[in-house]
């Protein structure tokens, strides 16, 4: 149980000097104990030191505040909320942002080292070794472990950093794109905005105090990271070097309080003032990008990703790491071929993959975990397309095979009858050497949900398709209507038309060269069929 300081406090500052965790501070002219830091002096004294040193009994046990929280009068101007369309929003996707996201997500799994000053550093070369980027953690408390200094600090980083801080890091990157000069301007975020972005506003099992403590903890962690960048000449942009500087400058945390009947202050809100670091002058400079003197690298952040990470980070941390990594990877194009072993390294780290290569039990455990985490990735918007050559059906996860089972009862019965008569059955165990086959297996691409798709990529594909259609239909333009001018069929309309024709999802899928699970996803609204696919569906349905 944390403690609070009542209005009887005479401001003698004795408690501040004696507090071993630094939880007591002066906020708005009054003494306040941060419940996120206070641990009742556990490990330091038999009773809280603030209680024993206070002669007037102003330090009292903190009880949950009852009643409604009044409206906060915020002296700061809050930046407009993100996700205006409810789906996605632009965010800075420079390599410094990507690697910082990997740092917050993968933590101990990264190849850490110690620099000359004994600070934990993660380095990565860029442009085939012509440049490098070094990320450091400068706010970790160093204390001795019965291990090597490097291992001690790496474990400390793993225990201190929270993967949910990667979501806050992405939110900061999104706000940076709303500014013309983010290296000079600042943005201001309230706790209520962060609650909405992360889905915490729907968590009725958490108290307001618990939410605020969590938000404050994870909002500070991206600001611990500093970046040092040596960038080689690339195109028209000359080579440059960025000295070690914070990725995000935490300018101020404003605490909002409400007094109870005893005169004790309860925290009811937080406001954060943030400014992007020097990196944004080189990688998020729209004006200089137009003249070829800097970069303006951005992508689109789906709001569903933030909710997914907050939902699965405890049970499926490997899936959370893959989702965060694929957010940047899919920016390079949806046809990115990815080795399965690469995804495993992202999800579980190089050391654990090496251990699986030498130990059979660990190999089985890692295989089950990977298939489960890949199912979570599929459920939250990234459907893997397996390479039929290197990733054949016999080694694919069971959940991916079950997606082809028809919804229609008679069709499902026929499916199982046919499956039972095959040499390779759906429920057969994996073949011998499955692990070695997976090591060499590839995923061809990921089918993305609508809010994961890049608007610029969608526009480019649409223009390319329209151009090809206009060229093919040019001689008969006056007599035949171009297909792209037809209204798109919704998933509900496709399902209705199919049922009216009394054909199953599997039959329709065979006619257009797709899987039955793809038809089901389109009819359920999970995917939107592209224009060429819409044309195939129309032809199959006789439209």
């Amino acid at each position: 149980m944390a403690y609070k300081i009542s209005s009887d406090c005479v401001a003698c500052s004795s408690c501040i000097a004696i507090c071993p965790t630094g939880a007591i501070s002066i906020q708005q002219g009054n003494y306040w104990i941060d419940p996120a830091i206070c641990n009742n002096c556990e490990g330091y004294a038999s009773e809280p030191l603030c209680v024993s040193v206070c002669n007037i009994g102003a330090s009292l046990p903190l009880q949950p505040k009852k009643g409604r929280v009044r409206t906060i009068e915020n002296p700061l101007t809050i930046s407009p909320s993100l996700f205006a369309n409810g789906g996605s929003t632009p965010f800075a996707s420079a390599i410094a942002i990507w690697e910082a996201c990997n740092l917050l997500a993968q933590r101990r799994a990264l190849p850490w080292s110690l620099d000359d000053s004994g600070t934990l550093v993660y380095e990565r070369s860029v442009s085939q070794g012509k440049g490098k980027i070094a990320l450091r953690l400068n706010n970790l408390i160093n204390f001795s472990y019965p291990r090597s200094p490097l291992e001690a600090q790496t474990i400390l980083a793993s225990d201190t950093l929270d993967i949910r801080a990667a979501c806050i890091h992405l939110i900061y990157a999104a706000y940076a794109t709303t500014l013309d000069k983010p290296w000079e301007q600042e943005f201001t975020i309230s706790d209520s905005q962060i609650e909405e972005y992360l889905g915490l506003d729907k968590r009725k099992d958490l108290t307001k105090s618990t939410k605020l403590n969590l938000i404050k903890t994870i909002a500070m962690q991206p600001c611990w990271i500093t970046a040092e960048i040596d960038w080689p000449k690339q195109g028209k942009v000359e080579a440059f070097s960025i000295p070690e500087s914070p990725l995000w400058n935490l300018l101020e945390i404003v605490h909002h309080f409400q007094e109870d009947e005893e005169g004790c202050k309860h925290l009811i809100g937080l406001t954060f003032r943030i400014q992007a670091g020097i990196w944004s002058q080189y990688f998020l400079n729209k004006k200089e990008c137009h003249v070829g003197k800097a970069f303006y690298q951005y992508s689109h952040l789906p709001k569903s990703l933030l909710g997914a990470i907050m939902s699965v980070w405890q049970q499926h941390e490997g899936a959370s790491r893959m989702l965060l990594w694929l957010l940047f990877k899919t920016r390079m194009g949806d046809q990115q071929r990815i080795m399965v072993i690469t995804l495993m390294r992202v999800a579980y780290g190089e050391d654990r993959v090496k251990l699986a290569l030498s130990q059979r039990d660990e190999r089985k455990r890692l295989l089950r975990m990977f298939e489960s985490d890949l199912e979570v990735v599929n459920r939250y918007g990234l459907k893997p397309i397996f390479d039929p050559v290197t990733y054949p059906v016999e080694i694919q996860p069971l959940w991916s095979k079950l997606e082809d089972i028809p919804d229609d009862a008679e069709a499902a019965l026929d499916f199982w009858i046919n499956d039972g008569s095959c040499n390779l059955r759906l429920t057969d165990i994996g073949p011998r050497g499955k692990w070695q086959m997976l090591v060499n297996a590839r995923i061809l691409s990921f089918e993305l949900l609508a809010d994961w798709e890049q608007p610029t990529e969608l526009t480019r594909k649409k223009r390319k398709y329209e151009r090809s259609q206009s060229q093919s239909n040019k001689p008969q333009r006056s007599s035949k209507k171009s297909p792209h001018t037809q209204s798109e069929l919704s998933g509900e309309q496709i399902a209705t038309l199919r049922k009216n024709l009394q054909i199953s999802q599997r039959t329709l899928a065979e006619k257009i060269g797709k899987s039955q699970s793809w038809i089901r996803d389109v009819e359920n609204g999970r995917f939107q069929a592209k224009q060429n696919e819409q044309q195939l569906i129309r032809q199959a349905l006789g439209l």
Side-chain angles (χ1 to χ4, degrees):
M1 178 187 297
Y3 277 71
K4 62 183 180 181
I5 297 178
S6 69
S7 58
D8 297 332
C9 176
V10 296
C12 66
S13 72
S14 299
C15 55
I16 290 183
I18 202 172
C19 180
T21 61
I24 305 177
S25 61
I26 300 176
Q27 299 289 340
Q28 301 177 8
N30 296 297
Y31 283 67
W32 174 66
I33 300 178
D34 190 341
I37 304 176
C38 178
N39 67 345
N40 296 346
C41 297
E42 187 175 338
Y44 299 95
S46 57
E47 66 174 346
L49 295 176
C50 59
V51 176
S52 59
V53 76
C54 185
N55 297 324
I56 61 173
S59 184
L60 305 172
L62 176 65
Q63 301 294 336
K65 185 182 180 305
K66 298 180 180 180
R68 292 183 176 273
V69 176
R70 62 175 173 80
T71 304
I72 298 174
E73 297 179 1
N74 201 327
L76 301 176
T77 302
I78 304 300
S79 300
S81 295
L82 303 173
F83 306 102
N85 63 357
S88 64
T89 190
F91 81 107
S93 58
I95 188 171
I97 301 299
W98 189 359
E99 291 302 333
C101 187
N102 289 336
L103 186 153
L104 293 167
Q106 300 182 35
R107 307 188 301 281
R108 189 178 178 182
L110 296 176
W112 294 95
S113 60
L114 292 177
D115 61 11
D116 296 336
S117 62
T119 304
L120 208 57
V121 58
Y122 162 58
E123 293 186 357
R124 177 191 162 177
S125 61
V126 294
S127 296
Q128 299 178 346
K130 297 178 182 178
K132 73 170 185 177
I133 176 172
L135 301 179
R136 291 177 173 84
L137 288 170
N138 286 330
N139 204 40
L140 293 179
I141 303 172
N142 297 318
F143 54 89
S144 59
Y145 274 85
R147 302 176 174 88
S148 67
L150 174 58
E151 186 180 5
Q153 290 206 28
T154 306
I155 293 175
L156 183 60
S158 179
D159 293 341
T160 305
L161 297 178
D162 192 318
I163 191 173
R164 291 171 290 182
C167 296
I168 300 292
H169 171 64
L170 294 175
I171 292 172
Y172 291 168
Y175 271 105
T177 61
T178 64
L179 307 175
D180 293 330
K181 295 182 178 181
W183 58 93
E184 294 179 356
Q185 300 169 288
E186 64 183 61
F187 52 89
T188 306
I189 317 176
S190 68
D191 64 283
S192 58
Q193 288 176 310
I194 295 177
E195 276 191 37
E196 179 193 351
Y197 301 151
L198 302 184
L200 292 174
D201 54 340
K202 301 176 183 178
R203 292 287 303 274
K204 305 303 181 184
D205 57 319
L206 301 178
T207 63
K208 183 66 175 179
S209 177
T210 302
K211 293 178 182 179
L212 291 174
N213 292 338
L214 171 62
I215 289 173
K216 183 177 180 180
T217 300
I218 62 178
M220 294 171 61
Q221 292 184 10
C223 304
W224 297 349
I225 304 173
T226 61
E228 180 183 357
I229 304 174
D230 291 321
W231 198 264
K233 177 179 172 60
Q234 195 171 25
K236 294 182 180 181
V237 181
E238 297 293 333
F240 58 85
S241 294
I242 302 176
E244 183 183 354
S245 57
L247 273 181
W248 307 106
N249 296 296
L250 181 57
L251 304 179
E252 184 184 8
I253 302 179
V254 179
H255 299 76
H256 306 283
F257 297 95
Q258 183 175 343
E259 286 190 4
D260 59 15
E261 61 276 4
E262 296 177 344
C264 297
K265 290 185 174 295
H266 293 264
L267 184 66
I268 60 172
L270 293 166
T271 304
F272 302 91
R273 289 177 52 223
I274 309 291
Q275 185 183 55
I278 305 174
W279 63 270
S280 59
Q281 190 172 356
Y282 296 88
F283 293 98
L284 202 63
N285 193 331
K286 188 179 295 186
K287 182 178 179 180
E288 295 296 322
C289 178
H290 290 159
V291 296
K293 294 183 178 180
F295 302 100
Y296 190 79
Q297 299 175 341
Y298 76 99
S299 184
H300 281 77
L301 172 67
K303 188 177 182 180
S304 59
L305 170 70
L306 303 178
I309 300 300
M310 296 297 293
S311 299
V312 306
W313 70 276
Q314 282 183 304
Q315 293 84 5
H316 297 278
E317 186 173 352
S320 300
R321 291 178 176 181
M322 284 192 279
L323 284 168
L324 291 168
W325 186 79
L326 288 168
L327 171 66
F328 294 86
K329 189 67 175 176
T330 53
R331 178 180 65 87
M332 303 175 186
D334 56 358
Q335 298 298 321
Q336 288 288 319
R337 287 172 170 77
I338 301 172
M339 298 294 295
V340 169
I341 196 69
T342 301
L343 277 180
M344 287 186 176
R345 291 191 179 103
V346 169
Y348 315 113
E350 181 69 30
D351 292 341
R352 190 161 186 184
V353 172
K354 286 183 178 179
L355 184 64
L357 292 172
S358 58
Q359 296 185 12
R360 187 176 179 223
D361 290 341
E362 180 64 23
R363 189 156 57 239
K364 289 182 177 180
R365 190 178 301 111
L366 194 65
L367 182 57
R368 289 194 298 268
M369 192 180 302
F370 174 74
E371 292 185 345
S372 175
D373 287 337
L374 195 61
E375 182 181 10
V376 173
V377 170
N378 172 70
R379 187 192 315 152
Y380 282 98
L382 285 87
K383 183 176 182 179
I385 306 300
F386 303 107
D387 182 5
V389 178
T390 61
Y391 211 145
V393 176
E394 55 264 28
I395 65 170
Q396 290 178 13
L398 179 61
W399 58 264
S400 67
K401 304 174 187 176
L402 295 177
E403 286 188 339
D404 291 330
I405 300 176
D407 291 336
D408 181 71
E410 294 184 1
L413 180 60
D414 294 337
F415 176 88
W416 284 113
I417 292 174
N418 294 333
D419 179 76
S421 60
C422 296
N423 294 329
L424 181 63
R425 297 175 180 84
L426 191 67
T427 54
D428 285 349
I429 61 174
R432 293 179 64 88
K434 179 179 179 179
W435 172 264
Q436 191 58 42
M437 296 172 69
L438 274 176
V439 168
N440 300 315
R442 292 182 303 179
I443 295 176
L444 294 178
S445 62
F446 284 88
E447 285 188 3
L448 309 179
L449 286 177
D451 55 350
W452 278 79
E453 285 276 13
Q454 306 298 328
T456 54
E457 181 69 12
L458 287 173
T459 303
R460 184 188 65 82
K461 291 179 179 179
K462 182 178 180 180
R463 288 177 179 173
K464 183 178 179 181
Y465 173 77
E466 290 177 348
R467 191 161 52 246
S468 64
Q469 289 296 316
S470 62
Q471 291 175 355
S472 61
N473 296 333
K474 192 172 182 180
Q476 44 188 337
R477 184 183 301 172
S478 58
S479 60
K480 185 175 180 180
K481 191 175 180 180
S482 181
H484 69 267
T485 60
Q486 299 176 355
S487 60
E488 293 186 350
L489 293 173
S490 66
E492 186 178 353
Q493 289 174 325
I494 294 173
T496 302
L497 291 169
R498 176 182 60 79
K499 292 176 181 177
N500 289 341
L501 294 175
Q502 297 183 350
I503 60 175
S504 65
Q505 292 179 339
R506 188 175 185 180
T507 303
L508 179 58
E510 291 173 353
K511 287 185 177 182
I512 65 173
K514 294 288 185 178
S515 65
Q516 185 268 339
S517 59
W518 186 89
I519 297 293
R520 182 177 60 198
D521 289 338
V522 169
E523 291 185 351
N524 292 338
R526 187 180 182 192
F527 293 119
Q528 179 65 42
K530 300 175 184 178
Q531 292 188 5
N532 58 336
E533 295 166 342
Q534 286 267 346
Q535 184 65 14
L536 292 174
I537 293 174
R538 287 177 177 277
Q539 293 175 357
L541 295 176
L543 299 180

